[in-house]
Every structure is written in C-alpha cells, then in structure tokens.
PDB file of all heavy atoms in Angstrom:
ATOM      1  N   ALA A 891      27.937 209.908 170.258  1.00 71.00           N
ATOM      2  CA  ALA A 891      28.054 210.308 168.851  1.00 71.00           C
ATOM      3  C   ALA A 891      29.372 211.026 168.581  1.00 71.00           C
ATOM      4  O   ALA A 891      30.017 210.786 167.563  1.00 71.00           O
ATOM      5  CB  ALA A 891      26.873 211.198 168.464  1.00 71.00           C
ATOM      6  N   ALA A 892      29.784 211.911 169.490  1.00 75.00           N
ATOM      7  CA  ALA A 892      31.038 212.636 169.294  1.00 75.00           C
ATOM      8  C   ALA A 892      32.223 211.677 169.274  1.00 75.00           C
ATOM      9  O   ALA A 892      33.148 211.814 168.461  1.00 75.00           O
ATOM     10  CB  ALA A 892      31.232 213.670 170.401  1.00 75.00           C
ATOM     11  N   MET A 893      32.192 210.682 170.129  1.00 78.00           N
ATOM     12  CA  MET A 893      33.274 209.700 170.173  1.00 78.00           C
ATOM     13  C   MET A 893      33.287 208.878 168.895  1.00 78.00           C
ATOM     14  O   MET A 893      34.351 208.553 168.368  1.00 78.00           O
ATOM     15  CB  MET A 893      33.044 208.810 171.393  1.00 78.00           C
ATOM     16  CG  MET A 893      34.214 208.201 172.022  1.00 78.00           C
ATOM     17  SD  MET A 893      35.570 209.310 172.289  1.00 78.00           S
ATOM     18  CE  MET A 893      36.783 208.056 172.447  1.00 78.00           C
ATOM     19  N   GLN A 894      32.105 208.543 168.388  1.00 79.00           N
ATOM     20  CA  GLN A 894      32.003 207.781 167.141  1.00 79.00           C
ATOM     21  C   GLN A 894      32.568 208.590 165.979  1.00 79.00           C
ATOM     22  O   GLN A 894      33.280 208.053 165.131  1.00 79.00           O
ATOM     23  CB  GLN A 894      30.541 207.396 166.875  1.00 79.00           C
ATOM     24  CG  GLN A 894      30.354 206.514 165.666  1.00 79.00           C
ATOM     25  CD  GLN A 894      31.021 205.170 165.811  1.00 79.00           C
ATOM     26  OE1 GLN A 894      31.091 204.609 166.887  1.00 79.00           O
ATOM     27  NE2 GLN A 894      31.541 204.658 164.717  1.00 79.00           N
ATOM     28  N   GLU A 895      32.268 209.890 165.943  1.00 85.00           N
ATOM     29  CA  GLU A 895      32.803 210.769 164.893  1.00 85.00           C
ATOM     30  C   GLU A 895      34.323 210.809 164.952  1.00 85.00           C
ATOM     31  O   GLU A 895      34.992 210.738 163.917  1.00 85.00           O
ATOM     32  CB  GLU A 895      32.235 212.182 165.033  1.00 85.00           C
ATOM     33  CG  GLU A 895      30.807 212.324 164.594  1.00 85.00           C
ATOM     34  CD  GLU A 895      30.303 213.753 164.778  1.00 85.00           C
ATOM     35  OE1 GLU A 895      31.109 214.699 164.625  1.00 85.00           O
ATOM     36  OE2 GLU A 895      29.114 213.908 165.087  1.00 85.00           O
ATOM     37  N   ILE A 896      34.863 210.918 166.151  1.00 89.00           N
ATOM     38  CA  ILE A 896      36.315 210.960 166.308  1.00 89.00           C
ATOM     39  C   ILE A 896      36.938 209.649 165.838  1.00 89.00           C
ATOM     40  O   ILE A 896      37.970 209.640 165.163  1.00 89.00           O
ATOM     41  CB  ILE A 896      36.697 211.267 167.767  1.00 89.00           C
ATOM     42  CG1 ILE A 896      36.335 212.715 168.106  1.00 89.00           C
ATOM     43  CG2 ILE A 896      38.178 211.016 168.022  1.00 89.00           C
ATOM     44  CD1 ILE A 896      36.473 213.068 169.560  1.00 89.00           C
ATOM     45  N   ALA A 897      36.308 208.541 166.164  1.00 88.00           N
ATOM     46  CA  ALA A 897      36.822 207.234 165.726  1.00 88.00           C
ATOM     47  C   ALA A 897      36.798 207.125 164.199  1.00 88.00           C
ATOM     48  O   ALA A 897      37.752 206.623 163.594  1.00 88.00           O
ATOM     49  CB  ALA A 897      36.001 206.114 166.355  1.00 88.00           C
ATOM     50  N   GLU A 898      35.735 207.615 163.568  1.00 91.00           N
ATOM     51  CA  GLU A 898      35.648 207.592 162.105  1.00 91.00           C
ATOM     52  C   GLU A 898      36.699 208.507 161.490  1.00 91.00           C
ATOM     53  O   GLU A 898      37.348 208.138 160.506  1.00 91.00           O
ATOM     54  CB  GLU A 898      34.249 207.993 161.653  1.00 91.00           C
ATOM     55  CG  GLU A 898      33.192 206.951 161.957  1.00 91.00           C
ATOM     56  CD  GLU A 898      31.770 207.441 161.718  1.00 91.00           C
ATOM     57  OE1 GLU A 898      31.597 208.583 161.244  1.00 91.00           O
ATOM     58  OE2 GLU A 898      30.834 206.670 162.003  1.00 91.00           O
ATOM     59  N   GLN A 899      36.879 209.699 162.056  1.00 94.00           N
ATOM     60  CA  GLN A 899      37.913 210.616 161.563  1.00 94.00           C
ATOM     61  C   GLN A 899      39.296 209.997 161.722  1.00 94.00           C
ATOM     62  O   GLN A 899      40.144 210.117 160.831  1.00 94.00           O
ATOM     63  CB  GLN A 899      37.865 211.953 162.316  1.00 94.00           C
ATOM     64  CG  GLN A 899      36.698 212.819 161.952  1.00 94.00           C
ATOM     65  CD  GLN A 899      36.636 214.082 162.805  1.00 94.00           C
ATOM     66  OE1 GLN A 899      37.373 214.234 163.765  1.00 94.00           O
ATOM     67  NE2 GLN A 899      35.744 214.984 162.441  1.00 94.00           N
ATOM     68  N   ASN A 900      39.512 209.327 162.839  1.00 95.00           N
ATOM     69  CA  ASN A 900      40.791 208.675 163.081  1.00 95.00           C
ATOM     70  C   ASN A 900      41.062 207.612 162.011  1.00 95.00           C
ATOM     71  O   ASN A 900      42.165 207.524 161.475  1.00 95.00           O
ATOM     72  CB  ASN A 900      40.814 208.051 164.478  1.00 95.00           C
ATOM     73  CG  ASN A 900      42.163 207.516 164.855  1.00 95.00           C
ATOM     74  OD1 ASN A 900      43.196 207.996 164.407  1.00 95.00           O
ATOM     75  ND2 ASN A 900      42.183 206.501 165.693  1.00 95.00           N
ATOM     76  N   ALA A 901      40.059 206.821 161.691  1.00 95.00           N
ATOM     77  CA  ALA A 901      40.210 205.788 160.663  1.00 95.00           C
ATOM     78  C   ALA A 901      40.507 206.418 159.305  1.00 95.00           C
ATOM     79  O   ALA A 901      41.384 205.944 158.563  1.00 95.00           O
ATOM     80  CB  ALA A 901      38.951 204.927 160.595  1.00 95.00           C
ATOM     81  N   GLN A 902      39.808 207.499 158.973  1.00 97.00           N
ATOM     82  CA  GLN A 902      40.046 208.189 157.707  1.00 97.00           C
ATOM     83  C   GLN A 902      41.458 208.768 157.664  1.00 97.00           C
ATOM     84  O   GLN A 902      42.151 208.671 156.637  1.00 97.00           O
ATOM     85  CB  GLN A 902      39.029 209.311 157.506  1.00 97.00           C
ATOM     86  CG  GLN A 902      37.629 208.818 157.233  1.00 97.00           C
ATOM     87  CD  GLN A 902      36.615 209.957 157.221  1.00 97.00           C
ATOM     88  OE1 GLN A 902      36.931 211.104 157.511  1.00 97.00           O
ATOM     89  NE2 GLN A 902      35.373 209.625 156.887  1.00 97.00           N
ATOM     90  N   LEU A 903      41.889 209.354 158.767  1.00 97.00           N
ATOM     91  CA  LEU A 903      43.230 209.930 158.807  1.00 97.00           C
ATOM     92  C   LEU A 903      44.304 208.848 158.697  1.00 97.00           C
ATOM     93  O   LEU A 903      45.341 209.059 158.055  1.00 97.00           O
ATOM     94  CB  LEU A 903      43.423 210.744 160.092  1.00 97.00           C
ATOM     95  CG  LEU A 903      42.632 212.049 160.159  1.00 97.00           C
ATOM     96  CD1 LEU A 903      42.767 212.682 161.538  1.00 97.00           C
ATOM     97  CD2 LEU A 903      43.087 213.019 159.082  1.00 97.00           C
ATOM     98  N   LYS A 904      44.063 207.691 159.296  1.00 97.00           N
ATOM     99  CA  LYS A 904      45.017 206.583 159.161  1.00 97.00           C
ATOM    100  C   LYS A 904      45.120 206.139 157.712  1.00 97.00           C
ATOM    101  O   LYS A 904      46.213 205.868 157.215  1.00 97.00           O
ATOM    102  CB  LYS A 904      44.605 205.413 160.054  1.00 97.00           C
ATOM    103  CG  LYS A 904      44.930 205.628 161.508  1.00 97.00           C
ATOM    104  CD  LYS A 904      44.546 204.423 162.330  1.00 97.00           C
ATOM    105  CE  LYS A 904      44.905 204.632 163.795  1.00 97.00           C
ATOM    106  NZ  LYS A 904      44.571 203.475 164.626  1.00 97.00           N
ATOM    107  N   ASP A 905      43.973 206.076 157.024  1.00 97.00           N
ATOM    108  CA  ASP A 905      43.983 205.712 155.607  1.00 97.00           C
ATOM    109  C   ASP A 905      44.744 206.760 154.790  1.00 97.00           C
ATOM    110  O   ASP A 905      45.556 206.410 153.927  1.00 97.00           O
ATOM    111  CB  ASP A 905      42.561 205.573 155.059  1.00 97.00           C
ATOM    112  CG  ASP A 905      41.853 204.338 155.573  1.00 97.00           C
ATOM    113  OD1 ASP A 905      42.542 203.408 156.058  1.00 97.00           O
ATOM    114  OD2 ASP A 905      40.605 204.301 155.490  1.00 97.00           O
ATOM    115  N   ARG A 906      44.472 208.027 155.057  1.00 98.00           N
ATOM    116  CA  ARG A 906      45.168 209.097 154.332  1.00 98.00           C
ATOM    117  C   ARG A 906      46.666 209.067 154.603  1.00 98.00           C
ATOM    118  O   ARG A 906      47.471 209.268 153.693  1.00 98.00           O
ATOM    119  CB  ARG A 906      44.589 210.464 154.726  1.00 98.00           C
ATOM    120  CG  ARG A 906      43.203 210.704 154.152  1.00 98.00           C
ATOM    121  CD  ARG A 906      42.597 212.017 154.576  1.00 98.00           C
ATOM    122  NE  ARG A 906      43.458 213.148 154.279  1.00 98.00           N
ATOM    123  CZ  ARG A 906      43.285 214.360 154.786  1.00 98.00           C
ATOM    124  NH1 ARG A 906      42.286 214.580 155.610  1.00 98.00           N
ATOM    125  NH2 ARG A 906      44.103 215.342 154.469  1.00 98.00           N
ATOM    126  N   LEU A 907      47.034 208.789 155.841  1.00 98.00           N
ATOM    127  CA  LEU A 907      48.451 208.694 156.184  1.00 98.00           C
ATOM    128  C   LEU A 907      49.109 207.535 155.456  1.00 98.00           C
ATOM    129  O   LEU A 907      50.216 207.669 154.923  1.00 98.00           O
ATOM    130  CB  LEU A 907      48.631 208.537 157.697  1.00 98.00           C
ATOM    131  CG  LEU A 907      50.067 208.363 158.192  1.00 98.00           C
ATOM    132  CD1 LEU A 907      50.916 209.576 157.820  1.00 98.00           C
ATOM    133  CD2 LEU A 907      50.090 208.130 159.687  1.00 98.00           C
ATOM    134  N   ALA A 908      48.442 206.393 155.396  1.00 97.00           N
ATOM    135  CA  ALA A 908      48.988 205.234 154.682  1.00 97.00           C
ATOM    136  C   ALA A 908      49.169 205.561 153.201  1.00 97.00           C
ATOM    137  O   ALA A 908      50.211 205.239 152.611  1.00 97.00           O
ATOM    138  CB  ALA A 908      48.076 204.023 154.864  1.00 97.00           C
ATOM    139  N   ASN A 909      48.179 206.220 152.604  1.00 98.00           N
ATOM    140  CA  ASN A 909      48.279 206.609 151.196  1.00 98.00           C
ATOM    141  C   ASN A 909      49.406 207.617 150.978  1.00 98.00           C
ATOM    142  O   ASN A 909      50.162 207.515 150.010  1.00 98.00           O
ATOM    143  CB  ASN A 909      46.952 207.181 150.692  1.00 98.00           C
ATOM    144  CG  ASN A 909      45.868 206.134 150.621  1.00 98.00           C
ATOM    145  OD1 ASN A 909      46.143 204.947 150.534  1.00 98.00           O
ATOM    146  ND2 ASN A 909      44.619 206.565 150.681  1.00 98.00           N
ATOM    147  N   ALA A 910      49.516 208.587 151.865  1.00 98.00           N
ATOM    148  CA  ALA A 910      50.579 209.594 151.750  1.00 98.00           C
ATOM    149  C   ALA A 910      51.953 208.953 151.920  1.00 98.00           C
ATOM    150  O   ALA A 910      52.906 209.331 151.226  1.00 98.00           O
ATOM    151  CB  ALA A 910      50.371 210.694 152.787  1.00 98.00           C
ATOM    152  N   THR A 911      52.066 207.976 152.792  1.00 98.00           N
ATOM    153  CA  THR A 911      53.331 207.280 152.998  1.00 98.00           C
ATOM    154  C   THR A 911      53.733 206.516 151.740  1.00 98.00           C
ATOM    155  O   THR A 911      54.896 206.535 151.334  1.00 98.00           O
ATOM    156  CB  THR A 911      53.230 206.324 154.204  1.00 98.00           C
ATOM    157  OG1 THR A 911      52.882 207.092 155.367  1.00 98.00           O
ATOM    158  CG2 THR A 911      54.526 205.602 154.461  1.00 98.00           C
ATOM    159  N   LYS A 912      52.758 205.856 151.102  1.00 98.00           N
ATOM    160  CA  LYS A 912      53.034 205.147 149.848  1.00 98.00           C
ATOM    161  C   LYS A 912      53.455 206.125 148.754  1.00 98.00           C
ATOM    162  O   LYS A 912      54.392 205.868 148.006  1.00 98.00           O
ATOM    163  CB  LYS A 912      51.804 204.354 149.401  1.00 98.00           C
ATOM    164  CG  LYS A 912      51.506 203.150 150.259  1.00 98.00           C
ATOM    165  CD  LYS A 912      50.228 202.470 149.809  1.00 98.00           C
ATOM    166  CE  LYS A 912      49.826 201.357 150.758  1.00 98.00           C
ATOM    167  NZ  LYS A 912      48.526 200.766 150.400  1.00 98.00           N
ATOM    168  N   GLU A 913      52.742 207.239 148.666  1.00 98.00           N
ATOM    169  CA  GLU A 913      53.067 208.259 147.661  1.00 98.00           C
ATOM    170  C   GLU A 913      54.460 208.837 147.911  1.00 98.00           C
ATOM    171  O   GLU A 913      55.227 209.054 146.969  1.00 98.00           O
ATOM    172  CB  GLU A 913      52.011 209.373 147.682  1.00 98.00           C
ATOM    173  CG  GLU A 913      52.232 210.466 146.650  1.00 98.00           C
ATOM    174  CD  GLU A 913      52.077 209.980 145.218  1.00 98.00           C
ATOM    175  OE1 GLU A 913      51.350 209.004 144.982  1.00 98.00           O
ATOM    176  OE2 GLU A 913      52.710 210.592 144.338  1.00 98.00           O
ATOM    177  N   LEU A 914      54.795 209.068 149.160  1.00 98.00           N
ATOM    178  CA  LEU A 914      56.118 209.582 149.505  1.00 98.00           C
ATOM    179  C   LEU A 914      57.204 208.593 149.086  1.00 98.00           C
ATOM    180  O   LEU A 914      58.242 208.990 148.534  1.00 98.00           O
ATOM    181  CB  LEU A 914      56.211 209.863 151.004  1.00 98.00           C
ATOM    182  CG  LEU A 914      57.554 210.367 151.522  1.00 98.00           C
ATOM    183  CD1 LEU A 914      57.948 211.682 150.855  1.00 98.00           C
ATOM    184  CD2 LEU A 914      57.516 210.515 153.037  1.00 98.00           C
ATOM    185  N   ALA A 915      56.979 207.315 149.306  1.00 98.00           N
ATOM    186  CA  ALA A 915      57.952 206.293 148.899  1.00 98.00           C
ATOM    187  C   ALA A 915      58.137 206.309 147.380  1.00 98.00           C
ATOM    188  O   ALA A 915      59.273 206.223 146.887  1.00 98.00           O
ATOM    189  CB  ALA A 915      57.496 204.916 149.376  1.00 98.00           C
ATOM    190  N   ARG A 916      57.021 206.433 146.621  1.00 98.00           N
ATOM    191  CA  ARG A 916      57.124 206.524 145.162  1.00 98.00           C
ATOM    192  C   ARG A 916      57.898 207.764 144.741  1.00 98.00           C
ATOM    193  O   ARG A 916      58.754 207.709 143.857  1.00 98.00           O
ATOM    194  CB  ARG A 916      55.731 206.528 144.530  1.00 98.00           C
ATOM    195  CG  ARG A 916      55.071 205.172 144.481  1.00 98.00           C
ATOM    196  CD  ARG A 916      53.832 205.183 143.573  1.00 98.00           C
ATOM    197  NE  ARG A 916      52.785 206.069 144.060  1.00 98.00           N
ATOM    198  CZ  ARG A 916      51.808 205.691 144.875  1.00 98.00           C
ATOM    199  NH1 ARG A 916      51.741 204.441 145.294  1.00 98.00           N
ATOM    200  NH2 ARG A 916      50.903 206.547 145.271  1.00 98.00           N
ATOM    201  N   GLU A 917      57.601 208.889 145.364  1.00 98.00           N
ATOM    202  CA  GLU A 917      58.290 210.142 145.029  1.00 98.00           C
ATOM    203  C   GLU A 917      59.781 210.061 145.362  1.00 98.00           C
ATOM    204  O   GLU A 917      60.610 210.598 144.634  1.00 98.00           O
ATOM    205  CB  GLU A 917      57.645 211.323 145.756  1.00 98.00           C
ATOM    206  CG  GLU A 917      56.242 211.659 145.278  1.00 98.00           C
ATOM    207  CD  GLU A 917      56.209 212.105 143.819  1.00 98.00           C
ATOM    208  OE1 GLU A 917      57.175 212.736 143.338  1.00 98.00           O
ATOM    209  OE2 GLU A 917      55.200 211.817 143.161  1.00 98.00           O
ATOM    210  N   ARG A 918      60.130 209.401 146.446  1.00 98.00           N
ATOM    211  CA  ARG A 918      61.543 209.244 146.801  1.00 98.00           C
ATOM    212  C   ARG A 918      62.272 208.409 145.758  1.00 98.00           C
ATOM    213  O   ARG A 918      63.413 208.705 145.408  1.00 98.00           O
ATOM    214  CB  ARG A 918      61.678 208.629 148.186  1.00 98.00           C
ATOM    215  CG  ARG A 918      61.379 209.611 149.295  1.00 98.00           C
ATOM    216  CD  ARG A 918      61.542 208.982 150.662  1.00 98.00           C
ATOM    217  NE  ARG A 918      61.390 209.996 151.699  1.00 98.00           N
ATOM    218  CZ  ARG A 918      61.217 209.730 152.972  1.00 98.00           C
ATOM    219  NH1 ARG A 918      61.199 208.465 153.385  1.00 98.00           N
ATOM    220  NH2 ARG A 918      61.089 210.695 153.850  1.00 98.00           N
ATOM    221  N   LYS A 919      61.619 207.348 145.268  1.00 98.00           N
ATOM    222  CA  LYS A 919      62.221 206.528 144.213  1.00 98.00           C
ATOM    223  C   LYS A 919      62.424 207.352 142.948  1.00 98.00           C
ATOM    224  O   LYS A 919      63.473 207.292 142.308  1.00 98.00           O
ATOM    225  CB  LYS A 919      61.354 205.302 143.910  1.00 98.00           C
ATOM    226  CG  LYS A 919      61.420 204.227 144.950  1.00 98.00           C
ATOM    227  CD  LYS A 919      60.556 203.038 144.548  1.00 98.00           C
ATOM    228  CE  LYS A 919      60.595 201.960 145.612  1.00 98.00           C
ATOM    229  NZ  LYS A 919      59.739 200.806 145.249  1.00 98.00           N
ATOM    230  N   THR A 920      61.396 208.122 142.587  1.00 98.00           N
ATOM    231  CA  THR A 920      61.489 208.976 141.401  1.00 98.00           C
ATOM    232  C   THR A 920      62.601 210.002 141.569  1.00 98.00           C
ATOM    233  O   THR A 920      63.404 210.222 140.658  1.00 98.00           O
ATOM    234  CB  THR A 920      60.147 209.692 141.145  1.00 98.00           C
ATOM    235  OG1 THR A 920      59.126 208.716 140.984  1.00 98.00           O
ATOM    236  CG2 THR A 920      60.201 210.573 139.924  1.00 98.00           C
TER     237      THR A 920
END
C-alpha cells in the first residue's frame, strides 16, 4: 500500500510539474 501511495503521488507530481512547466512557458512569453 505504501508503494502504491508513492506511485500515485509521483503521478500527481508529474502532472503538476507538466502544468507548471506549461504555465512557466506562458509567463515567459508574457
């Protein structure tokens, strides 16, 4: 269960990182 939680957190963090990277690119253009 602990490993499954870590895998889910990892997936969520990857999604957040991808979103933050896109937002950063938009902010740089602005």
Side-chain angles (χ1 to χ4, degrees):
M893 208 47 200
Q894 185 64 34
E895 285 179 33
I896 290 171
E898 289 170 4
Q899 287 176 351
N900 187 29
Q902 290 172 355
L903 290 173
K904 283 182 179 181
D905 288 341
R906 288 178 54 194
L907 177 60
N909 292 337
T911 301
K912 289 176 187 175
E913 182 66 27
L914 178 60
R916 283 192 297 269
E917 292 297 327
R918 285 181 174 166
K919 286 181 181 179
T920 302

